[in-house]
């Protein structure tokens, strides 16, 4: 089977590949075996850039021979805008979720939570999260503080 892409569709595919590669490797210390098949497919797609007159979008590492999307194409273009939008949303959603979960467990304890039915557990935990959602919507991180606690009798 052969896929036919217009130049615009191929460019969109490159942007999607940049975002996928970011998710897989942005925080990885090195590219592991678990993502090898993704990297190989990406190499195959990037190798075709010249067929679409998009050579400026793809560079090639002289040492390894691997293709990569150029900085101007990925980091300075639409893919990074989409990544930043996603990361911003994820940050706030995770912060609200994790703080709400922490407070839920502190207030009720794991044993009592286990005794709740799923609906009660979901409703009660959601109420804890709403407090943080409203706080961060109004103040952002402005009022978020880390409390100092004494670890031993000598510290204050």
């Amino acid at each position: 089977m052969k896929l036919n892409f217009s130049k615009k569709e191929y460019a969109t595919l490159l942007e999607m590949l940049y975002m996928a590669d970011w998710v897989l490797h942005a925080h990885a210390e090195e590219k592991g075996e678990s993502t090898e098949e993704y990297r190989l497919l990406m190499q195959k797609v990037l190798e075709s850039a010249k067929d679409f007159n998009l050579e400026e979008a793809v560079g090639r590492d002289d040492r390894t021979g691997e293709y990569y999307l150029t900085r101007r194409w990925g980091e300075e273009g639409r893919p990074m805008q989409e990544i930043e939008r996603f990361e911003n949303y994820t940050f706030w959603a995770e912060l609200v979720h994790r703080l709400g979960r922490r407070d839920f467990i502190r207030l009720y304890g794991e044993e009592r939570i286990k005794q709740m039915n799923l609906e009660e557990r979901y409703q009660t935990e959601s109420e804890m999260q709403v407090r943080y959602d409203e706080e961060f919507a109004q103040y952002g991180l402005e009022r978020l503080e880390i409390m100092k606690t004494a670890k031993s009798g000598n510290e204050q």
Side-chain angles (χ1 to χ4, degrees):
M1 174 167 69
K2 184 175 179 170
L3 299 174
N4 293 312
F5 294 106
S6 68
K7 182 177 181 176
K8 185 175 178 8
E9 290 170 332
Y10 181 78
T12 300
L13 179 60
L14 293 181
E15 291 176 343
M16 291 171 61
L17 285 172
Y18 183 88
M19 290 183 276
D21 189 60
W22 180 272
V23 169
L24 292 169
H25 301 113
H27 300 290
E29 290 182 25
E30 56 186 58
K31 296 177 180 183
E33 287 181 30
S34 65
T35 62
E36 184 175 2
E37 65 185 300
Y38 299 128
R39 290 191 318 273
L40 292 174
L41 181 58
M42 185 169 174
Q43 288 298 301
K44 195 173 189 177
V45 173
L46 295 180
E47 188 176 20
S48 298
K50 61 187 171 299
D51 298 336
F52 292 91
N53 296 319
L54 287 170
E55 296 93 328
E56 79 280 357
V58 177
R60 190 166 191 190
D61 187 310
D62 292 334
R63 190 176 49 82
T64 65
E66 286 190 358
Y67 294 97
Y68 59 90
L69 286 166
T70 61
R71 182 178 207 148
R72 185 175 75 66
W73 189 263
E75 292 180 28
E76 298 171 8
R78 187 172 125 198
M80 189 51 70
Q81 292 170 357
E82 294 298 330
I83 289 167
E84 288 172 354
R85 184 179 59 81
F86 170 79
E87 287 181 339
N88 186 56
Y89 174 83
T90 301
F91 169 78
W92 291 110
E94 280 295 309
L95 186 61
V96 164
H97 174 78
R98 290 178 191 213
L99 290 173
R101 162 90 23 110
R102 180 202 63 190
D103 291 356
F104 176 59
I105 292 170
R106 282 182 180 173
L107 184 62
Y108 293 96
E110 290 186 23
E111 287 305 313
R112 185 164 173 212
I113 292 169
K114 287 178 186 175
Q115 295 170 3
M116 294 178 180
N117 65 47
L118 287 177
E119 185 177 327
E120 180 184 12
R121 188 184 304 176
Y122 175 79
Q123 180 64 36
T124 307
E125 186 175 349
S126 293
E127 290 169 4
M128 306 292 249
Q129 293 172 2
V130 166
R131 187 175 117 224
Y132 287 109
D133 198 32
E134 290 171 352
E135 170 70 22
F136 297 138
Q138 184 169 358
Y139 299 105
L141 297 174
E142 188 59 35
R143 298 187 340 173
L144 186 65
E145 300 283 334
I146 304 296
M147 296 172 24
K148 285 188 178 182
T149 58
K151 291 185 180 181
S152 69
N154 297 335
E155 295 180 28
Q156 289 187 15

